[in-house]
Amino acid sequence: ETYQSGSYKVTKNSKAIRDHNKVGWGPITYLEGFQRSSNVAIAKMVNEKLGFEKYREYLTKFGFEKPTGIEVPNEAGGNIVYEYPLDKITTGYGQGTAITAIQQIQAATAIAGNGEMLKPHIIARIADPNTNKIVEETQREIAGKPISENTAKQVREVMESVIYSP
């Protein structure tokens, strides 16, 4: 499916969001929009294809509001700004909302791991330096399953196309 790149207004009174080159690339496919990092493609997907409520559910499923539980004191959760239509759109392409790098890594494990999102750990194991005996070892922990195996595969293919497409 194609869309008109360049600019997009989420409501008739909202400020227009623009693609990073300010003018877009004319009518292009959503795949090309993703490959070109089009703000308009993401905005239209969040608003018109997925819908604000469903998108908000995914933000929660991916755990962006809460700490991951990684082994550091006082880990912060994300701050999802999701009040006005423009907030919802800009969250789609990574502006106006704050998440931590470790939350982003955790979310990426769902894409890499066929839908299973893993809890991150800093240390895999601790061994006694004198005996090499393992004193402590972390176990694989599933933090959620925010997407299906098929969706994870499709997202990987789209992401790979960013590298290999002309």
Side-chain angles (χ1 to χ4, degrees):
E1 186 178 342
T2 61
Y3 73 98
Q4 179 63 43
S5 63
S7 68
Y8 179 72
K9 290 180 86 164
V10 65
T11 66
K12 81 175 189 176
N13 295 326
S14 69
K15 179 182 170 190
I17 59 111
R18 301 196 182 288
D19 285 322
H20 60 85
N21 69 353
K22 307 291 187 239
V23 295
W25 303 270
I28 59 174
T29 65
Y30 281 96
L31 176 60
E32 185 176 347
F34 185 86
Q35 292 165 342
R36 292 182 179 274
S37 193
S38 168
N39 292 343
V40 173
I42 299 302
K44 288 178 73 67
M45 282 191 271
V46 166
N47 185 27
E48 298 174 15
K49 302 300 177 189
L50 193 57
F52 289 148
E53 295 310 309
K54 191 65 162 174
Y55 181 60
R56 185 65 179 91
E57 288 174 26
Y58 278 112
L59 293 172
T60 298
K61 286 181 179 182
F62 276 97
F64 289 128
E65 289 110 337
K66 59 185 182 184
T68 64
I70 197 163
E71 304 89 348
V72 294
N74 303 317
E75 178 193 9
N79 182 23
I80 306 297
V81 179
Y82 212 77
E83 186 172 350
Y84 301 106
L86 196 57
D87 296 336
K88 298 170 184 181
I89 291 295
T90 57
T91 293
Y93 54 85
Q95 295 178 3
T97 286
I99 63 169
T100 66
I102 202 69
Q103 286 174 313
Q104 193 168 18
I105 290 168
Q106 177 175 276
T109 66
I111 297 165
N114 294 323
E116 287 187 346
M117 186 169 66
L118 301 180
K119 179 182 174 183
H121 293 282
I122 295 175
I123 298 172
R125 70 185 60 82
I126 299 171
D128 182 312
N130 299 316
T131 64
N132 285 333
K133 181 180 176 186
I134 295 174
V135 177
E136 187 176 329
E137 188 168 19
T138 58
Q139 301 299 313
R140 183 179 191 270
E141 292 179 63
I142 297 173
K145 190 166 180 19
I147 54 176
S148 70
E149 183 175 344
N150 185 52
T151 298
K153 180 180 184 284
Q154 288 179 33
V155 171
R156 286 193 308 270
E157 288 170 357
V158 168
M159 292 174 78
E160 183 179 348
S161 80
V162 173
I163 297 167
Y164 295 111
S165 69

